[in-house]
Amino acid sequence: GQRRFYHVPHGQAKATPAVLARLKAKWRCLDAAEPLRVCVTGAAGQIAYSLLYQLAKGDVFGHDQPVVLILLDIPVMMGALDGVVMELQDCALPLLKETIATADPKVAFKDIDLAIMVGAMPRREGMLRKDLLKANVKIFEVQGKALDEVAKKDVKVVVVGNPANTNCLTMSKYAKSIPKENFSCLTRLDQNRAQAQIAARLNVKNTDVRNVIIWGNHSSTQFPDATHARMLDGSSVTERVSNDDWLHGEFITTVQKRGAAVIAARKFSSAVSAAKAICDHVRDLWNGTKEGEWTSMGVISDGNTYGIPNDVMYSFPVRISNRKWEIVEGLSISAFARSKMDATANELVEERDAASEFLSSQ
């Protein structure tokens, strides 16, 4: 079933005529703009709780772009999801035109412009990665088929739920009428973590560090690479750090294990940082990357020039324009980087093949 509410923008009781005129013009623009239909799955969970407000208030799509939020979760979470809907309503956000809460993927994906796939089977204590993979490929098969049936054919799909790369690949295979290039998975959290580690090492602002790369899988085999990173003034990050032992050792392992460290410290997985990274990912996907910069995201590897096998969702550095990404080509790859890139590619091939085996044995 569906639950809906509508926002009526409020005026200002003591506004001057000029302010009132500007407000009325703004509301007319908002009313005229076609709302984006954005679906978030796992919508009653921790990540979504930090994400939805940012999507609805204009931080991602712009302060003149209305949105309709469609919140999907499993039936047992509908009560909690009602609470999320009430909180969004109580924010009285002018850009949020409608909220729909549902447990039906075909309702959730109907004519959407963007799907943010946060929901997935969580890894429980003692669960092997292959068991997690088996549980999730079935979920993403079902959701891929629903997406294929009812979503717009130019829909963009961002997969967050782990194992994100292979879940993304699975979903793309079952949404056959939607181009594989429209699917991506989140490695921006890893990029943000890597950027923050370098900034802390150099005692500079996070925004002073550009073009750190995450290669491969969103797992402990990922390769955070600062080789081509630059400072805001154009200088080389590797020259500024001037410590290859750190860049090839502690820096990499810290980023690779950061998620586990967060869980160990707070007993829950990353939520605020994950939501912020999703917003960064979607903002770049929608508005494009800045001149001279790139971002990392998991995309289909077909036809890449870095020797990565085809038919995996592999994190590359990409530039984005007009909501289309292209892999940054021509970057030099050292022997050290080659070994790291191949190791994470091998893991993705193993995951892909295991997922295919699970699905074919049903």
Side-chain angles (χ1 to χ4, degrees):
Q2 302 178 36
R3 301 165 180 82
R4 300 173 183 237
F5 66 80
Y6 297 86
H7 285 293
V8 179
H10 298 287
Q12 293 185 6
K14 297 182 180 180
T16 65
V19 169
L20 282 172
R22 287 197 298 271
L23 283 170
K24 289 177 181 178
K26 178 181 179 180
W27 301 138
R28 281 196 295 270
C29 288
L30 293 180
D31 288 339
E34 184 71 21
L36 286 174
R37 293 179 61 86
V38 180
C39 174
V40 177
T41 74
Q46 282 199 96
I47 293 174
Y49 195 74
S50 295
L51 172 65
L52 293 169
Y53 176 72
Q54 297 179 71
L55 295 174
K57 75 182 283 281
D59 290 351
V60 176
F61 304 108
H63 294 282
D64 57 356
Q65 177 58 65
V67 295
V68 172
L69 288 179
I70 305 101
L71 312 182
L72 176 67
D73 217 312
I74 57 178
V76 72
M77 297 303 294
M78 286 297 101
L81 197 55
D82 278 340
V84 175
V85 168
M86 285 188 277
E87 287 216 65
L88 285 169
Q89 185 175 17
D90 294 347
C91 289
L93 297 165
L95 291 171
L96 183 56
K97 294 301 181 183
E98 184 180 0
T99 301
I100 301 169
T102 182
D104 184 348
K106 289 185 181 179
V107 172
F109 298 150
K110 178 67 175 174
D111 295 331
I112 57 170
D113 299 286
L114 171 68
I116 304 176
M117 310 299 297
V118 179
M121 170 76 77
R123 190 171 186 171
R124 298 189 177 95
E125 189 174 355
M127 181 183 276
L128 298 176
R129 188 173 176 85
K130 68 176 183 179
D131 296 327
L132 180 70
L133 183 66
K134 186 175 183 178
N136 277 295
V137 292
K138 180 61 182 175
I139 294 169
F140 282 84
E141 175 194 5
V142 171
Q143 293 185 338
K145 289 177 178 177
L147 191 82
D148 190 56
E149 185 175 338
V150 300
K152 294 178 180 178
K153 299 310 175 187
D154 61 352
V155 64
K156 302 296 185 185
V157 183
V158 179
V159 177
V160 178
N162 288 317
N165 300 60
T166 301
N167 287 344
C168 187
L169 182 69
T170 299
M171 195 171 193
S172 72
K173 287 180 179 292
Y174 285 95
K176 298 179 185 295
S177 64
I178 297 168
K180 285 189 177 179
E181 292 75 19
N182 288 24
F183 292 80
S184 60
C185 68
L186 186 75
T187 56
R188 182 59 176 265
L189 176 55
D190 306 304
Q191 178 185 315
N192 288 351
R193 288 166 170 167
Q195 181 178 332
Q197 289 296 312
I198 291 168
R201 177 86 178 186
L202 296 175
N203 194 27
V204 299
K205 295 184 293 186
N206 291 321
T207 51
D208 288 347
V209 181
R210 312 286 178 89
N211 293 356
V212 182
I213 298 170
I214 304 297
W215 300 98
N217 201 2
H218 176 62
S219 75
S220 60
T221 69
Q222 66 175 266
F223 173 40
D225 181 12
T227 306
H228 304 281
R230 289 286 182 269
M231 305 300 295
L232 186 60
D233 63 8
S235 60
S236 164
V237 163
T238 55
E239 290 178 4
R240 287 284 295 274
V241 172
S242 191
N243 188 329
D244 285 348
D245 289 342
W246 184 79
L247 287 170
H248 290 177
E250 183 183 343
F251 165 65
I252 293 174
T253 57
T254 297
V255 177
Q256 288 174 333
K257 298 176 181 179
R258 189 67 161 188
V262 170
I263 292 172
R266 67 183 295 264
K267 312 307 177 190
F268 296 99
S269 58
S270 303
V272 172
S273 58
K276 195 270 183 181
I278 294 167
C279 290
D280 292 341
H281 178 118
V282 174
R283 188 183 300 108
D284 283 346
L285 192 60
W286 229 253
N287 301 315
T289 48
K290 295 177 182 177
E291 184 70 28
E293 295 186 24
W294 57 65
T295 189
S296 298
M297 59 176 62
V299 297
I300 193 67
S301 60
D302 296 359
N304 77 89
T305 60
Y306 289 105
I308 304 304
N310 288 340
D311 197 34
V312 292
M313 290 288 177
Y314 190 97
S315 181
F316 292 98
V318 299
R319 294 189 183 96
I320 303 169
S321 180
N322 297 319
R323 300 183 191 171
K324 296 183 182 295
W325 54 263
E326 62 175 11
I327 296 172
V328 177
E329 304 287 3
L331 299 176
S332 59
I333 304 297
S334 67
F336 175 81
R338 180 80 268 162
S339 67
K340 295 291 187 183
M341 291 167 66
D342 288 347
T344 193
N346 291 340
E347 182 182 54
L348 281 170
V349 169
E350 290 173 6
E351 285 189 10
R352 178 198 67 197
D353 293 347
S356 297
E357 184 179 338
F358 293 145
L359 291 166
S360 63
S361 65
Q362 293 180 111

